[in-house]
Amino acid sequence: QVHAKVAKGMPAKCAKEFAFSATSALFFAVFAWNAFEYLFRATDAEELQFLSVLLPHASSITSYFAGLNGLRALAALAVVVSHTTLALGEFNLDPYLFGASQDGKPAGISLAGFGVSIFFALSGFLITYLLQEERQRQPISIPKFYWRRILRIWPLYYAYLLVALLVMAVNDMPVDSQALVLYIFYAANVPFILGAPIDFLAHYWSLGVEEQFYLVWPWVNRRWQKPATIILVLIVLLIGCKLLLHVLIPGSLWEQI
């Protein structure tokens, strides 16, 4: 009864801070588990071997690049340190441990940007390598590729999404229903770009980018044996579009995208 009275009289601000702390702890636990999986246990080759019952051909794929573990560790540490320093302001501590950027925001956010960029590069390299390796043996199976991605990403993605929504519901925190639909269908980068991410789920933007990459890249590798030409064309087009937008509509949202 005493605990019930204390909880009932808890100010809304304290409740939200508690929700933030609990969700941050959960996010850190999920992130730590994924970092452990990447650094010490999981590779796409091992994952395919584990799924050999479902994917009989997978046991023949044994590629593993041990030298990439150091880059993974640096990227993981950069993201953890960045988000830790940025969250210090929620506890009345100084978030400017790495100074301030030109726009006045904590410079620690740059670490997260570098870390995510490294993860994107590694993911693109490994996925391309495995697809091309599979292509040397047999035609790339698009359904099996998506099945592997689903088993790897979806369980944790939707589990954390559900927990975050429950925490917000318990604490009467608003949720944008339109943005929620985008989060459910792996388009979390859209509300993030528009500056309207859902609380506790802002980091999902990178998963949205990764899943959208998966929608296109397997088909490119299935069609072209050496996708280097396609990559160069896409890079040139992207740079050209950004330069054109910078000249025509400087500082616009489209230029940032």
Side-chain angles (χ1 to χ4, degrees), residues 22-217:
T23 308
S24 298
L26 177 62
F27 167 66
F28 181 80
V30 172
F31 183 87
W33 170 255
N34 279 277
F36 172 82
E37 184 180 30
Y38 270 116
L39 290 171
F40 301 106
R41 187 170 60 84
T43 66
D44 286 286
E46 291 168 346
E47 180 182 328
L48 294 178
Q49 291 173 354
F50 175 75
L51 299 175
S52 60
V53 176
L54 298 174
L55 312 173
H57 75 286
S59 59
S60 63
I61 302 177
T62 57
S63 300
Y64 174 60
F65 300 93
L68 298 182
N69 285 344
L71 286 175
R72 285 171 169 154
L74 291 175
L77 287 174
V79 174
V80 170
V81 170
S82 174
H83 283 278
T84 301
T85 56
L86 292 176
L88 292 177
E90 299 288 339
F91 303 95
N92 296 322
L93 299 174
D94 183 16
Y96 292 88
L97 294 180
F98 298 99
S101 56
Q102 293 182 350
D103 58 3
K105 296 180 180 180
I109 190 65
S110 299
L111 283 175
F114 293 138
V116 172
S117 297
I118 292 174
F119 276 126
F120 280 160
L122 291 177
S123 178
F125 166 74
L126 292 171
I127 290 297
T128 303
Y129 186 93
L130 290 171
L131 287 170
Q132 289 296 314
E133 188 177 48
E134 182 179 353
R135 196 176 194 275
Q136 297 300 320
R137 294 177 171 85
Q138 60 188 5
I140 295 175
S141 175
I142 301 296
K144 290 177 180 178
F145 171 84
Y146 287 130
W147 180 241
R148 296 194 297 265
R149 296 300 98 196
I150 288 172
L151 291 178
R152 185 178 182 85
I153 299 175
W154 285 25
L156 277 177
Y157 183 95
Y158 288 110
Y160 178 79
L161 176 64
L162 179 60
V163 170
L165 292 175
L166 288 175
V167 170
M168 286 185 282
V170 169
N171 290 280
D172 295 324
M173 300 174 67
V175 177
D176 188 330
S177 59
Q178 294 181 344
L180 180 59
V181 172
L182 295 174
Y183 276 85
I184 292 173
F185 291 101
Y186 282 95
N189 51 320
V190 176
F192 183 83
I193 291 172
L194 297 176
I198 295 178
D199 289 333
F200 312 131
L201 297 172
H203 58 283
Y204 266 32
W205 72 268
S206 60
L207 293 171
V209 172
E210 189 171 2
E211 291 297 293
Q212 291 156 30
F213 170 75
Y214 292 153
L215 289 177
V216 177
W217 201 237

